[in-house]
Amino acid sequence: MSWPPLFEYTALPDRSIRLLQLLPGAPGSPLTCSLCDERLDNPNIEYKALSYCWGEEHPQSPLFIADSPGDVKGLKQLPIRPNLAAALSQLRTNILACCDPTCTCQDDSDDDATHPVEDCHFTRPANIWIDAVCINQTDLTERSHQVALMYEIYTRATTIIAWLGPADAYTLSALRMIYALARLPEACPDDQDNRDNEEKRHNIDITPARRHLGVNPAFTPFWIALGHFFADNDWWERIWIVQEIVLAKRVIMVVGPWGMTWSQLVKAQEVFHRDGIYEQLCDATLPSGEFAHMWPVIAGFLKVGWLESLRNLVSGTVTMAGETAALMTMLSWAFRYKATNSRDKVYGILGVLKGLGVTLPIEPRDDISVCEVYMHAAKLIHDQTGDLLFLEAVENNRVPEPVRRFDLPSWTPDFAAPNNLLPISWARLADEAALHRQSWNPHWSGGERDLCKFNISTRTVTVRGFRMDTIHRFNNTADGAGLSSGSAPKFEDIVSSRNVQKRIDCVVSDEGTDSKTEETWRALLGPELEEGRRWIPAKEGIAANDDRGPATRHFQTRHHGFVSFTQVEACVGDEVCWLIGLGFPCILRRQGNAWRYIGVCHSLQGLPSGLPNIQELKYLAVANPGMFTCQEFAIR
């Protein structure tokens, strides 16, 4: 049998998209569909959009495209990747099975019972928008135009179908745990008696039940399964899911034959993070690793909570404090996601920013370099915030002369930096909720405009500030002991190590209460699967707490004996400077007639008036001629 010819795209009219109509078919039969053009301005347009991972490129499967929905003779073929083929094969069955043991559909003897909320159909006449098929991926111009329309594409879709891939040995128990957590508030023992006393219900009923679920080893397999649900699935790491989920009117999560709504996942996240009991449990047992299987669950639910908070911001349910920092906030979280095309670390959040009312003068184009995209992003951050906050986003390199990817100048953040090079300030910000680290508010050296000047063509940023001193020596011990000179105080007397409070919530319980709680959880989770007891983390590192921060290096300066610490690979002779508009002192290195930005340092100690603001620095410069030099720095 000869194969049909390859499908050839025709040009899309302005402000139009292609929509796929998936045709029914028996399991294992060829995937068949039709494509039609629709204008986004059409008020009657109706379609769903698919959110998924492209995944492995080979082996590819043919998608057969008919010239029209009723014509199955003139077929053309379009090769698609395996994960998309699996998604379409599942969706055309029109079956999303329910795995909630407490759902009324479980009373039905029909094995193909669908969840009452998920009984929608995905085959004809349903329209689906799928980027890999509905965009001519070989046409860079069309691709750029379609990416620019992403905000409208996802906001106009009636439903976003989040395809997390085929089911595995962990899926059923993971989804049951999500359902159980989501239903806990209505299933707690005495919950009906306490509906009018919210505080009493949460503190007395829900907290002991949640603690019991965490510490009872009988439920550990369910936690491990939920950890795999987050850690083993590349969908959670895609930068594009941010706008796909945040801009959606409604989201259906599909894993193999199982379906659930995004709202159920959010309810589970809210119960999980209600009072930090699981984070405290992990933190308190960090040395032994007894509850290390909780860490991937904490990280996964942290992403769910952040995405939901963005959904609330875009929908107007809550308002955002400090809208001027929207781009910085988005890009800081973009570090936590991956993108095949590094430009997408910026392009992938433009739709969300538009939903927040922030319009940026940047167009998604693949014909410009990653370096240029990132330089413009840094400038846009500065234009929004009016300070040098973008410099704190530069990754922490650990070699004296790092070769920066994409040929970036030293002042431009690498928004696609590997996790082990994350900026320490952003890593702490993102991990704070999960690790219960102490809150920290860096002393702000601002107080006036920074007078920063960008020259994209010469890849230079010119800033104003003070040269404080030169690095004289390092001490790499944990506490920096031994760094002192003259009248400067000893380092250990200035900087105290941060002690993270470790505790487990003490919840008084008795045998009767524990028995009733166990009964509640058994009813919510359903029967344990046979292989549950044998489950162990399959992916290396799934149960480990990921400490991404580089090692701390303590140093002392030459003339004034200032003491500080940094996470970057500074060298003896580097200059410690305080730039107007930057939250920390920083380290610069002279290179010809310009400077190289090395990174920030923290807690510069030994100044006559302690930690200064910009007015105090000016006063010190006047009162102590020659102590500090105010100048402009051309950084490349």
Side-chain angles (χ1 to χ4, degrees):
M1 183 183 72
S2 60
W3 284 91
L6 291 175
F7 176 76
E8 294 184 4
Y9 289 93
T10 57
L12 270 174
D14 185 42
R15 291 189 50 75
S16 295
I17 60 174
R18 297 184 185 92
L19 294 177
L20 179 149
Q21 292 185 349
L22 184 60
L23 304 179
S29 64
L31 291 168
T32 309
C33 70
S34 64
L35 290 177
C36 63
D37 297 349
E38 286 284 354
R39 289 188 60 83
L40 277 173
D41 299 328
N42 178 6
N44 299 318
I45 188 173
E46 187 172 321
Y47 61 93
K48 301 177 177 69
L50 186 67
S51 170
Y52 69 107
C53 286
W54 280 35
E56 297 295 329
E57 186 174 359
H58 298 289
Q60 293 193 334
S61 304
L63 173 65
F64 295 101
I65 303 176
D67 290 335
S68 62
D71 180 13
V72 295
K73 294 182 179 179
L75 295 176
K76 307 291 191 303
Q77 63 162 315
L78 179 71
I80 60 174
R81 300 191 183 201
N83 192 43
L84 178 55
L88 295 178
S89 296
Q90 177 60 50
L91 293 180
R92 72 175 176 177
T93 66
N94 290 324
I95 296 174
L96 291 180
C98 177
C99 60
D100 181 1
T102 66
C103 182
T104 55
C105 74
Q106 299 298 320
D107 298 332
D108 196 331
S109 59
D110 184 2
D111 293 335
D112 291 335
T114 58
H115 196 288
V117 182
E118 311 295 0
D119 57 350
C120 47
H121 291 260
F122 304 102
T123 56
R124 191 173 49 174
N127 293 321
I128 307 177
W129 185 86
I130 304 173
D131 57 356
V133 177
C134 298
I135 299 176
N136 183 357
Q137 298 294 331
T138 62
D139 187 336
L140 293 182
T141 301
E142 178 180 306
R143 223 164 66 183
S144 297
H145 289 164
Q146 292 287 290
V147 171
L149 294 173
M150 288 295 188
Y151 171 78
E152 293 174 85
I153 291 173
Y154 287 110
T155 54
R156 292 294 305 273
T158 58
T159 304
I160 300 298
I161 308 163
W163 168 254
L164 275 66
D168 59 22
Y170 306 104
T171 300
L172 186 56
S173 285
L175 296 183
R176 283 180 176 175
M177 177 64 89
I178 292 171
Y179 278 117
L181 287 169
R183 288 184 177 272
L184 179 60
E186 63 189 61
C188 275
D190 305 329
D191 192 57
Q192 296 296 326
D193 298 332
N194 293 321
R195 286 192 180 276
D196 297 330
N197 192 335
E198 191 77 5
E199 182 178 355
K200 181 180 178 183
R201 191 176 93 227
H202 289 176
N203 291 342
I204 295 179
D205 301 325
I206 295 182
T207 299
R210 291 172 62 253
R211 182 182 184 279
H212 184 87
L213 181 63
V215 300
N216 190 332
F219 301 121
T220 298
F222 290 95
W223 288 117
I224 293 176
L226 188 53
H228 281 286
F229 175 79
F230 288 118
D232 281 359
N233 199 310
D234 292 337
W235 183 86
W236 292 103
E237 299 182 346
R238 291 177 62 244
I239 184 63
W240 288 103
I241 73 167
V242 176
Q243 71 172 9
E244 292 166 359
I245 300 302
V246 169
L247 300 178
K249 296 176 182 175
R250 178 171 176 265
V251 181
I252 299 175
M253 313 292 290
V254 183
V255 190
W258 313 108
M260 67 177 179
T261 61
W262 173 261
S263 60
Q264 289 167 320
L265 189 58
V266 171
K267 288 179 182 177
Q269 177 271 145
E270 290 172 347
V271 171
F272 181 87
H273 280 308
R274 176 164 285 166
D275 52 19
I277 190 172
Y278 296 128
E279 293 91 331
Q280 295 162 16
L281 191 66
C282 293
D283 210 18
T285 57
L286 196 58
S288 67
E290 182 181 358
F291 294 96
H293 54 272
M294 288 281 193
W295 282 115
V297 181
I298 292 172
F301 274 135
L302 188 64
K303 281 188 174 181
V304 172
W306 181 71
L307 289 171
E308 181 62 15
S309 67
L310 284 180
R311 281 173 59 83
N312 292 332
L313 285 171
V314 170
S315 65
T317 306
V318 298
T319 57
M320 178 176 169
E323 287 85 350
T324 56
L327 179 59
M328 184 69 167
T329 303
M330 292 288 98
L331 288 172
S332 68
W333 270 93
F335 268 124
R336 299 294 176 174
Y337 294 91
K338 296 179 180 178
T340 303
N341 184 337
S342 296
R343 300 172 186 82
D344 291 344
K345 284 300 191 89
V346 176
Y347 296 163
I349 63 172
L350 294 180
V352 179
L353 290 170
K354 187 173 182 179
L356 293 173
V358 179
T359 303
L360 300 178
I362 184 172
E363 295 182 1
R365 293 169 48 194
D366 286 337
D367 58 346
I368 60 176
S369 68
V370 176
C371 177
E372 189 174 350
V373 173
Y374 286 7
M375 284 193 295
H376 279 290
K379 183 180 184 300
L380 289 170
I381 292 174
H382 170 265
D383 293 344
Q384 279 195 339
T385 62
D387 53 47
L388 303 183
L389 190 60
F390 67 90
L391 286 176
E392 293 185 31
V394 175
E395 68 277 13
N396 287 286
N397 284 295
R398 306 186 193 182
V399 294
E401 295 292 338
V403 177
R404 305 202 65 212
R405 302 190 310 165
F406 316 121
D407 196 29
L408 294 171
S410 67
W411 54 268
T412 304
D414 182 352
F415 298 111
N419 282 341
N420 64 330
L421 297 181
L422 282 179
I424 192 65
S425 56
W426 286 17
R428 286 180 182 174
L429 177 65
D431 288 343
E432 186 175 314
L435 304 183
H436 270 258
R437 291 172 172 163
Q438 291 178 340
S439 62
W440 60 291
N441 295 310
H443 187 79
W444 197 249
S445 65
E448 63 180 47
R449 296 286 296 184
D450 52 70
L451 302 178
C452 179
K453 301 174 184 177
F454 289 82
N455 190 325
I456 300 298
S457 61
T458 63
R459 301 153 45 91
T460 305
V461 60
T462 303
V463 298
R464 200 159 55 94
F466 295 85
R467 293 175 63 183
M468 310 296 289
D469 208 341
T470 304
I471 295 178
H472 174 56
R473 59 180 175 139
F474 286 91
N475 188 319
N476 292 323
T477 59
D479 60 0
L483 293 182
S484 62
S485 67
S487 60
K490 292 183 178 180
F491 186 86
E492 59 268 29
D493 296 333
I494 300 172
V495 182
S496 59
S497 60
R498 192 171 65 235
N499 295 318
V500 179
Q501 182 180 7
K502 297 180 179 180
R503 64 186 178 88
I504 303 177
D505 277 1
C506 295
V507 180
V508 179
S509 61
D510 55 43
E511 186 175 344
T513 301
D514 285 346
S515 175
K516 198 169 185 180
T517 303
E518 175 118 6
E519 182 182 343
T520 299
W521 280 120
R522 291 292 182 190
L524 290 172
L525 290 169
E528 183 178 306
L529 301 185
E530 293 181 2
E531 66 271 28
R533 293 287 181 179
R534 300 195 300 271
W535 286 347
I536 58 173
K539 181 179 282 189
E540 184 179 356
I542 184 176
N545 175 27
D546 184 13
D547 185 8
R548 300 186 176 97
T552 298
R553 305 180 69 226
H554 301 82
F555 65 83
Q556 190 166 32
T557 64
R558 182 180 304 277
H559 301 292
H560 305 300
F562 300 147
V563 176
S564 185
F565 65 94
T566 184
Q567 284 81 26
V568 297
E569 192 65 27
C571 300
V572 171
D574 286 346
E575 296 280 350
V576 179
C577 304
W578 210 310
L579 305 181
I580 299 174
L582 186 60
F584 295 101
C586 69
I587 301 170
L588 300 180
R589 183 176 300 157
R590 172 70 78 175
Q591 287 192 339
N593 61 350
W595 297 84
R596 183 187 184 99
Y597 177 76
I598 305 301
V600 298
C601 53
H602 305 264
S603 300
L604 187 63
Q605 303 294 333
L607 286 168
S609 62
L611 289 174
N613 57 34
I614 190 63
Q615 287 79 15
E616 291 168 335
L617 278 174
K618 287 183 175 181
Y619 172 79
L620 287 172
V622 173
N624 302 274
M627 184 175 186
F628 308 127
T629 304
C630 183
Q631 67 177 78
E632 287 191 346
F633 299 87
I635 303 175
R636 292 178 181 165

